[in-house]
Amino acid sequence: MSVHPHGEEPLVRPFMLTGGRTQPLHDDLRIETQLAAAPAALSAPLRFESRRIVELCQRPMSVADLAAALGAPLGVIRVIVADLMTQGMLQAGAVPGELTTALIERIRDRVRAL
């Protein structure tokens, strides 16, 4: 890890978080997909972003909301989430058939925040 030149926060390259992969194992993950983690997933030996995603998904949360909460690119979050789904740590909930205006605006705002 290196230190950001204008601050004290460490800078980790996105490819380091995904093991160099750019494509998720599940291509059906949309930014509005709701994710949930079982409470038992909290006891799994997860590290860094994976641990934080499981913590955040104790309540259903969208892929876009996770990206905003972690300050990470959507592509990176999609890869990590897909890995967690493959490991059985996360499950995708039903994607709403028709998105409400409020949900669309919230997604738009979260994506802009990235």
Side-chain angles (χ1 to χ4, degrees):
M1 256 196 309
S2 61
V3 176
H4 190 275
H6 300 292
E8 299 163 14
E9 294 183 34
L11 174 67
V12 177
R13 301 268 181 219
F15 67 86
M16 295 295 292
L17 301 175
T18 63
R21 291 177 297 121
T22 59
Q23 294 299 313
L25 299 173
H26 297 277
D27 285 337
D28 58 342
L29 282 173
R30 296 169 37 181
I31 62 172
E32 69 272 15
T33 300
Q34 296 292 305
L35 302 163
L42 290 172
S43 62
L46 300 173
R47 299 177 54 197
F48 311 115
E49 284 74 15
S50 294
R51 161 77 46 212
R52 187 72 181 123
I53 288 171
V54 166
E55 290 169 354
L56 289 168
C57 287
Q58 291 304 299
R59 291 183 299 143
M61 184 169 263
S62 72
V63 174
D65 287 336
L66 285 172
L70 294 170
L74 276 168
V76 168
I77 296 302
R78 289 179 72 225
V79 170
I80 296 170
V81 162
D83 289 350
L84 289 169
M85 290 175 71
T86 300
Q87 296 168 18
M89 303 293 168
L90 285 181
Q91 290 189 342
V95 176
E98 189 170 320
L99 301 177
T100 65
T101 303
L103 180 58
I104 291 170
E105 289 173 351
R106 192 172 101 217
I107 291 169
R108 177 201 63 205
D109 293 344
R110 298 286 185 173
V111 171
R112 282 185 182 163
L114 297 174

